[in-house]
Amino acid sequence: MTIQGLVDSGMFAIVNEGEERSREISTVFCCDLLSIAMGRAPAGCAWVTVMGNMNTLAVAALADAACIIMAEGATLDEAAMKKAKGQGITVMGTDLPIFEAALNVYQALKGPSGNAQA
């Protein structure tokens, strides 16, 4: 699934329309500890978090995350929104808990049978 496919699914609200919307999402990653995310977030992941500060955007860029999903109604602060726009990072939002948001992405990526979608 691409970032655009996830956007088009309507699962999440668009917070910032980034660049590279045709980029493939490889997996979903959940973490709110930036030091762990920096070292363990897989390139191309949809990162689900509640951390809405500028450092989150820096870690997303460093880890080469495909997009960020702000869960549990979390929002980007003003500096983070500016950085998302400046770096062309796609950010989505939801009121869902982190687990449910990640599960929705996982199911969209793998399908209900658990197999990769074509």
Side-chain angles (χ1 to χ4, degrees), residues 30-115:
C30 302
C31 187
D32 290 324
L33 255 168
L34 298 179
S35 59
I36 291 176
M38 191 180 333
R40 295 188 184 171
C45 70
W47 179 16
V48 185
T49 185
V50 297
M51 299 295 293
N53 61 44
M54 188 166 41
N55 293 335
T56 301
L57 280 290
V59 170
L62 180 67
D64 197 25
C67 61
I68 298 171
I69 301 166
M70 302 298 300
E72 303 195 25
T75 58
L76 294 178
D77 64 29
E78 187 176 328
M81 180 60 91
K82 184 176 179 180
K83 188 168 187 83
K85 289 180 186 295
Q87 292 191 325
I89 298 172
T90 299
V91 181
M92 294 173 251
T94 183
D95 288 331
L96 292 172
I98 291 173
F99 175 81
E100 290 179 33
L103 182 60
N104 285 345
V105 175
Y106 177 83
Q107 289 174 334
L109 291 173
K110 304 294 183 182
S113 65
N115 296 324

Side-chain angles (χ1 to χ4, degrees), residues 6-24:
L6 186 58
V7 167
D8 292 346
S9 75
M11 284 189 274
F12 308 112
I14 299 299
V15 175
N16 183 65
E17 291 189 34
E19 301 166 2
E20 299 185 59
R21 305 266 300 261
S22 62
R23 184 173 180 192
E24 288 290 324

